[in-house]
Amino acid sequence: MNTISKRLTLYVIGLFLLSLGVSFSIQANLGVSPVSSLAYAISLTSGLTIGITTILANILFVFMQILLNTKRVGLREFVVQLVIVFLFGVFMDLTLAIIQLLPAPETLVGKYLFLLISFYIISAGLLAYFSAKLPLMPYDALTYVVSDRFNMKFGKAKVSSDLVNVALAGIVCLVFINSLGAIGIGTILAAYFIGKILGNIMPRFQPLLQSWVYKSRDNVTVEEIEVVEPIQQKKL
């Protein structure tokens, strides 16, 4: 298996784990992460599957990039992001169907256990996804566009994007189902702890993944990622 094949494999595994982690958080029913909140809110209020609403929400993020980006978004980049969106949407429906085969947690302890599991799976997915160093998901790419367009540090742009996404999700749920629906304590905990977990596992495991991809530690570099902690945003 050549380097490109390994990177693609790592990337697809990362997307699958991300979707699996989100599915665990959905089953926990305590609120999903900010990134997934709008898609889940649309799913709750429309009756569409989470896979379809994930595709729709990410297509919206692609068009927002086009509107905000002072530089023209290339056709190739546009097509690549759409392909990623459809793959992730398929994974969302698949993994949620798998998780729903398990007994839904009924106790608070069980719900928090599912939520905790989701944090670690999402973090593992992000580790693989970032380590592959292939095109970003539309939401992540949008954050970079916001950072560039408004001359903001990436951390602040990430916090701003998350807050807007959560606010939109909350509004959609309040208008159509008279509850916060997709938003809950799990949303706040996810925003804080996923960054913490990723910050801890990346220095340990990213070199191993890259050594597998490139076969030689001479080419291994740990990618520095700015970990965003919305609860401590005053420090940013």
Side-chain angles (χ1 to χ4, degrees):
M1 187 181 291
N2 59 32
T3 299
I4 294 297
S5 297
K6 288 181 178 180
R7 290 172 67 190
L8 285 171
T9 299
L10 196 60
Y11 190 76
V12 172
I13 290 173
L15 293 182
F16 181 83
L17 289 176
L18 283 172
S19 64
L20 182 63
V22 174
S23 295
F24 264 103
S25 68
I26 289 174
Q27 281 296 87
N29 199 28
L30 293 171
V32 297
S33 66
V35 175
S36 305
S37 58
L38 181 58
Y40 188 44
I42 298 173
S43 178
L44 287 175
T45 57
S46 67
L48 297 172
T49 70
I50 184 64
I52 292 175
T53 57
T54 295
I55 291 171
L56 293 175
N58 278 278
I59 289 175
L60 174 63
F61 299 148
V62 172
F63 281 104
M64 288 178 67
Q65 289 178 56
I66 295 173
L67 290 175
L68 292 175
N69 201 344
T70 54
K71 301 176 183 178
R72 185 177 178 181
V73 177
L75 178 61
R76 181 173 177 272
E77 183 181 353
F78 180 78
V79 172
V80 167
Q81 288 199 35
L82 289 183
V83 171
I84 296 169
V85 163
F86 279 97
L87 179 60
F88 190 62
V90 170
F91 281 163
M92 279 303 312
D93 278 342
L94 175 63
T95 55
L96 186 57
I98 293 172
I99 297 303
Q100 287 176 338
L101 295 175
L102 302 173
E106 297 180 358
T107 65
L108 197 59
V109 172
K111 290 182 178 183
Y112 274 104
L113 178 60
F114 265 51
L115 188 65
L116 181 62
I117 291 171
S118 78
F119 292 168
Y120 279 94
I121 294 177
I122 289 173
S123 298
L126 288 171
L127 172 64
Y129 162 69
F130 282 126
S131 297
K133 294 186 176 180
L134 290 174
L136 296 172
M137 292 274 286
Y139 186 82
D140 297 318
L142 177 60
T143 302
Y144 278 100
V145 170
V146 170
S147 175
D148 181 64
R149 177 66 175 81
F150 298 103
N151 196 26
M152 299 169 64
K153 290 183 178 179
F154 180 80
K156 289 185 178 180
K158 173 65 173 171
V159 171
S160 299
S161 297
D162 285 350
L163 289 175
V164 170
N165 212 35
V166 169
L168 288 175
I171 291 170
V172 169
C173 287
L174 286 172
V175 169
F176 291 100
I177 59 176
N178 297 318
S179 74
L180 288 176
I183 311 303
I185 183 64
T187 306
I188 299 173
L189 294 176
Y192 182 79
F193 283 107
I194 290 175
K196 283 287 189 181
I197 295 170
L198 183 62
N200 287 330
I201 67 174
M202 183 160 280
R204 299 179 184 180
F205 296 106
Q206 191 177 51
L208 296 176
L209 291 175
Q210 290 189 344
S211 65
W212 172 70
V213 170
Y214 297 106
K215 294 185 179 180
S216 170
R217 285 191 172 272
D218 294 336
N219 296 318
V220 176
T221 57
V222 178
E223 183 179 355
E224 294 293 333
I225 290 184
E226 186 175 359
V227 178
V228 181
E229 301 173 8
I231 293 178
Q232 299 177 351
Q233 57 184 293
K234 292 182 180 179
K235 296 181 181 180
L236 296 176

